[in-house]
Amino acid sequence: MYLVVATPSTLGLFAGPILPADPGRFLLIEKFVLAALILTSAGLFWKRFGIVVDKIFKSRRDPGFHLSPVGKRIWDFFWEVLCQAKVIRERPLPGLAHAFVFWSFLAFALVTLNHIATGFGIPMLAPNGLSRYIPLFADFYFLFAALFAIACVVSIAGLFIRRFVVRPVWLSRVGHELSWESGVIAGLIFALMATYLASFFVADGSLAARLLWWSHTLSLLVFLPLVPHTKHLHLILSPVTIFLSRGSFSQIPPLAGDEDFGLVTGKDLTQLVSLQAYSCVECGRCTEHCPAANTGKILNPKEVILGVRGYLNEYGPVGSSAEELLLGKYNSQEAAFQCTTCGACEFQCPVGIEHVPIIVGLRRGAVNTGAWEDDYGTKLFLAMERNSNALGLSASERDKFIQKQELPIFDGTQEYCLWLGCMGGYDPKGREIISSFVEVMRYLGTSYGVLRKEKCTGDPARRLGNDLVFQQLAESNLEAMTQQKVKKIISICPHCVRTIQEDWKEFGTPPEIEHHSEFLARHQTQLPHQKTEEKIAYHDPCYLGRYRNVYDQPRSVISSAGTLVEAERSRERSFCCGAGGGLAFLGEEHGQRVSSVRAQELVATGATTIGAACPFCNTMFRDALASQGDNSPRLLDIAQIAAMQLPKPDAKPQA
């Protein structure tokens, strides 16, 4: 990456072309030394990188993985890798600094090639090189690279200070000292850019020019073999990781046959999991936003991924003995089952790591091999098997609710099949949400019906790793819907929406489904509005926001009834309620309750009403808000907020 550009005679009013200062003719021995150093650096690089590549390729193939649609992958690569959009968006200042370092490396690719070629006496950007065919190209490109070098010097200095002086807790590892390798790499990057910029101010053929040339070369050749030994391996692997994502957010891969029990030992690690493990940049964004890590749990998403990496380094993707379990030396079973599957980790990750499928894979391994022994989990699975709902109640309880509310049975002629779900069919507060939503549908004159027999979607079983129970429920529901000729489903539960829309595809083609917030927003102009000055804080459910990218629709419903106020963490950064991943049905949490932390944030807005759009969130906040005292805000679903604005039952719908 060499360029010595301007002698005093070329600095005035563009008296001559701006070109690298010539370090002079290289002796034959220098060329041999340069070649030997390059081969040594490349050999040391491959010695480690080759092992990593071998472990990735020896991992088993990912079931269900396919490249299509390639167009989306190309766009993701352009947006997330080349534009560094995700890196910048989630941590603007340090993200921009990282982006400038990355862009500088891209800008320096041609400069580096020219630098090495110069050492062998064949510079590409010299007047007798490429510049012959593109006049002024070298002048422009060297200055272009210099601008990025300046940005990189400032950025790498800022990042060094942040990591080693400011030292955010998220950048450190549990039980580990701050990585000295990061400081060495930062120093080498600084040296690369500094020697490049210094070469603008020395004369052709001078000793300074020669020393700068060799300093730049040695910095480059020392940097290369260090990369695969450090977290900076992500420079090479993360673009591949982002391009080879599973295709959709937190997509859980299917099991491959009867012998696939999930992630039990090294032989179960797939190529994508291994690739992602080695791509981790240890930035801690996942940990910073993890509800479990923020409330005193032992789960740390970063440590889960680095635990897989540590396992691969020691055992490789072939471990199979009882001493080589993935949940053991490098990862904790307790931590794996503290995950709410909220997806905050995956949403934040700048290098394409899909944490939730990996954690669910570890849960699968523990559940399917009988290693996970939990009374609440066992009770939940039995309830879903015997009663077909997560609450373990008799189906007759749902029938009584249907009869009391005079809900029509779906017969194939109605527009919508109203999916009650476990919460809407059995939970008292969930039933209130259904009743309010039914009021709105009746006011609008929308035709709907409920299934005579409906089973749980299997969401809790799926997220906790019990694929057998999930498959039984999914297949049974799909068969019932086919028989009833269901074409469109509407549900008050984002978890049901996600499971039906994505997870059921493993066993058939599910009908089209939407969340009730989307329905309500679409019909806003047909509903009466009685807006007040009441402050309403809206909580973004994880499975509606991050999973489905639905943010504005529920806000439009709330804004029609009162003044919308936002919590400190909202939209994509919303903090989980703590119910996801089946945790709503397990025992008491260790440490601070996730729901209490979130409830406090919502109360801090000064709102008199908390607006929810998920029956699980409603359930979790019910107790959390009660602990806030008598003056705590009331808790309503958006369906209830919309229904409160309706006229008397005898009023006619608006035309």
Side-chain angles (χ1 to χ4, degrees):
M1 257 187 257
Y2 163 73
L3 98 99
V4 177
V5 246
T7 62
S9 64
T10 63
L11 287 173
L13 299 175
F14 302 99
I18 301 175
L19 293 171
D22 188 356
R25 297 179 66 84
F26 287 86
L27 299 174
L28 184 60
I29 186 63
E30 288 181 296
K31 294 179 181 179
F32 275 115
V33 169
L34 176 60
L37 288 174
I38 291 173
L39 290 174
T40 301
S41 178
L44 291 174
F45 168 83
W46 184 254
K47 183 179 180 181
R48 171 57 182 166
F49 186 65
I51 293 173
V52 171
V53 171
D54 183 63
K55 290 179 186 292
I56 292 172
F57 276 100
K58 282 185 177 177
S59 301
R60 68 185 182 93
R61 296 179 67 87
D62 283 79
F65 177 80
H66 49 80
L67 277 174
S68 60
V70 176
K72 181 182 181 301
R73 296 186 183 278
I74 293 173
W75 169 255
D76 289 344
F77 183 87
F78 169 77
W79 187 242
E80 294 188 23
V81 178
L82 298 183
C83 295
Q84 294 284 285
K86 197 171 188 179
V87 174
I88 298 170
R89 180 188 67 198
E90 301 306 327
R91 278 184 184 169
L93 286 179
L96 194 60
H98 277 100
F100 273 119
V101 173
F102 172 75
W103 292 330
S104 298
F105 271 82
L106 295 184
F108 265 71
L110 183 56
V111 176
T112 301
L113 290 174
N114 178 72
H115 179 87
I116 298 300
T118 298
F120 291 106
I122 48 173
M124 299 181 298
L125 298 181
N128 59 347
L130 184 61
S131 296
R132 253 183 333 183
Y133 307 103
I134 311 176
L136 301 179
F137 175 78
D139 304 52
F140 162 78
Y141 199 85
F142 283 132
L143 286 175
F144 171 76
L147 293 175
F148 276 103
I150 294 170
C152 185
V153 164
V154 174
S155 297
I156 204 69
L159 292 172
F160 181 89
I161 292 170
R162 180 172 179 265
R163 177 171 285 272
F164 292 98
V165 179
V166 180
R167 301 180 70 168
V169 65
W170 316 114
L171 295 179
S172 62
R173 286 195 61 192
V174 177
H176 292 74
E177 295 292 331
L178 203 60
S179 172
W180 61 267
E181 296 99 328
S182 298
V184 174
I185 292 291
L188 289 170
I189 294 173
F190 187 92
L192 284 170
M193 300 302 159
T195 52
Y196 175 77
L197 292 171
S199 65
F200 275 88
F201 302 98
V202 298
D204 291 339
S206 65
L207 177 62
R210 208 171 190 81
L211 288 175
L212 284 171
W213 191 94
W214 276 107
S215 297
H216 190 94
T217 302
L218 291 174
S219 297
L220 179 66
L221 297 181
V222 171
F223 175 83
L224 183 64
L226 285 179
V227 168
H229 288 277
T230 68
K231 67 186 183 66
H232 294 84
L233 185 58
H234 78 277
L235 293 169
I236 302 168
L237 294 183
S238 63
V240 181
T241 303
I242 290 171
F243 185 79
L244 296 178
S245 71
R246 287 195 171 85
S248 65
F249 187 78
S250 290
Q251 181 179 328
I252 300 172
L255 295 177
D258 296 337
E259 299 302 314
D260 187 357
F261 298 112
L263 301 181
V264 183
T265 62
K267 66 180 179 58
D268 302 307
L269 292 172
T270 69
Q271 292 175 343
L272 286 184
V273 172
S274 298
L275 173 63
Q276 291 174 13
Y278 280 114
S279 297
C280 181
V281 69
E282 303 179 30
C283 65
R285 296 188 188 204
C286 54
T287 305
E288 181 181 359
H289 294 271
C290 173
N294 278 271
T295 53
K297 317 295 190 293
I298 65 171
L299 172 62
N300 183 329
K302 180 173 74 172
E303 296 298 333
V304 170
I305 304 305
L306 295 179
V308 175
R309 180 196 292 180
Y311 183 99
L312 282 166
N313 286 337
E314 180 171 355
Y315 301 114
V318 293
S320 58
S321 69
E323 292 75 31
E324 297 171 346
L325 297 175
L326 285 163
L327 287 178
K329 179 178 179 180
Y330 288 100
N331 267 310
S332 158
Q333 182 186 105
E334 182 182 359
F337 283 91
Q338 288 178 341
C339 176
T340 67
T341 67
C342 71
C345 50
E346 185 172 327
F347 184 87
Q348 289 288 333
C349 183
V351 293
I353 295 171
E354 297 165 319
H355 303 72
V356 173
I358 293 174
I359 292 174
V360 170
L362 294 171
R363 289 178 168 186
R364 280 170 156 174
V367 170
N368 293 332
T369 59
W372 186 51
E373 297 179 354
D374 184 271
D375 292 340
Y376 290 98
T378 300
K379 182 179 178 181
L380 171 65
F381 296 149
L382 286 174
M384 297 176 77
E385 282 185 282
R386 296 173 179 174
N387 301 97
S388 301
N389 67 83
L391 280 70
L393 298 175
S394 169
S396 62
E397 295 298 317
R398 177 179 178 272
D399 295 337
K400 292 176 184 176
F401 171 65
I402 291 173
Q403 293 171 9
K404 182 178 179 180
Q405 293 296 313
E406 298 180 347
L407 302 179
I409 300 300
F410 186 84
D411 58 14
T413 63
Q414 300 99 323
E415 182 180 4
Y416 287 100
C417 172
L418 175 59
W419 184 266
L420 300 183
C422 298
M423 302 304 289
Y426 298 94
D427 178 68
K429 293 296 182 181
R431 288 175 173 179
E432 290 178 12
I433 298 171
I434 287 290
S435 298
S436 294
F437 185 57
V438 164
E439 283 185 52
V440 176
M441 295 184 82
R442 286 172 175 168
Y443 177 83
L444 292 169
T446 304
S447 63
Y448 71 95
V450 299
L451 293 177
R452 189 178 299 277
K453 292 183 179 180
E454 176 192 279
K455 297 183 178 181
C456 176
T457 61
D459 165 74
R462 176 68 152 177
R463 312 298 158 189
L464 284 171
N466 193 326
D467 286 87
L468 178 60
V469 171
F470 168 70
Q471 180 177 351
Q472 292 171 345
L473 293 169
E475 289 179 338
S476 178
N477 280 315
L478 281 167
E479 183 180 357
M481 288 183 178
T482 300
Q483 292 176 350
Q484 295 297 317
K485 300 179 180 179
V486 175
K487 302 297 182 186
K488 294 168 68 176
I489 308 173
I490 194 163
S491 172
I492 65 167
C493 180
H495 295 258
C496 292
V497 173
R498 167 69 183 195
T499 306
I500 292 173
Q501 185 178 50
E502 295 294 335
D503 297 83
W504 282 13
K505 288 180 180 177
E506 202 174 309
F507 308 105
T509 303
E512 176 187 340
I513 186 170
E514 70 174 340
H515 187 251
H516 74 306
S517 64
E518 297 167 289
F519 176 91
L520 291 170
R522 195 168 60 251
H523 292 88
Q524 276 296 290
T525 57
Q526 299 169 259
L527 293 172
H529 299 155
Q530 300 176 28
K531 187 168 183 176
T532 67
E533 295 300 318
E534 182 178 9
K535 291 183 178 180
I536 306 174
Y538 173 64
H539 165 75
D540 288 280
C542 305
Y543 273 68
L544 186 62
R546 282 186 289 268
Y547 274 79
R548 194 169 169 80
N549 200 33
V550 173
Y551 298 106
D552 296 327
Q553 293 91 326
R555 283 175 169 80
S556 70
V557 177
I558 288 174
S559 297
S560 69
T563 301
L564 174 68
V565 293
E566 297 284 4
E568 180 181 354
R569 288 184 277 198
S570 61
R571 302 183 75 92
E572 296 91 344
R573 290 177 174 241
S574 178
F575 198 70
C576 183
C577 74
L583 268 62
F585 305 102
L586 300 188
E588 286 293 312
E589 302 175 29
H590 295 291
Q592 195 173 11
R593 292 180 67 87
V594 174
S595 57
S596 295
V597 172
R598 183 53 173 169
Q600 289 169 13
E601 292 181 352
L602 295 169
V603 171
T605 63
T608 53
T609 298
I610 305 300
C614 170
F616 283 105
C617 295
N618 198 299
T619 295
M620 299 303 287
F621 293 146
R622 198 180 308 157
D623 294 335
L625 288 173
S627 66
Q628 299 293 315
D630 296 335
N631 295 324
S632 63
R634 62 175 177 170
L635 177 63
L636 296 174
D637 185 87
I638 57 170
Q640 294 171 302
I641 293 173
M644 287 171 63
Q645 299 180 77
L646 298 179
K648 300 289 185 179
D650 57 349
K652 299 294 183 182
Q654 295 179 359

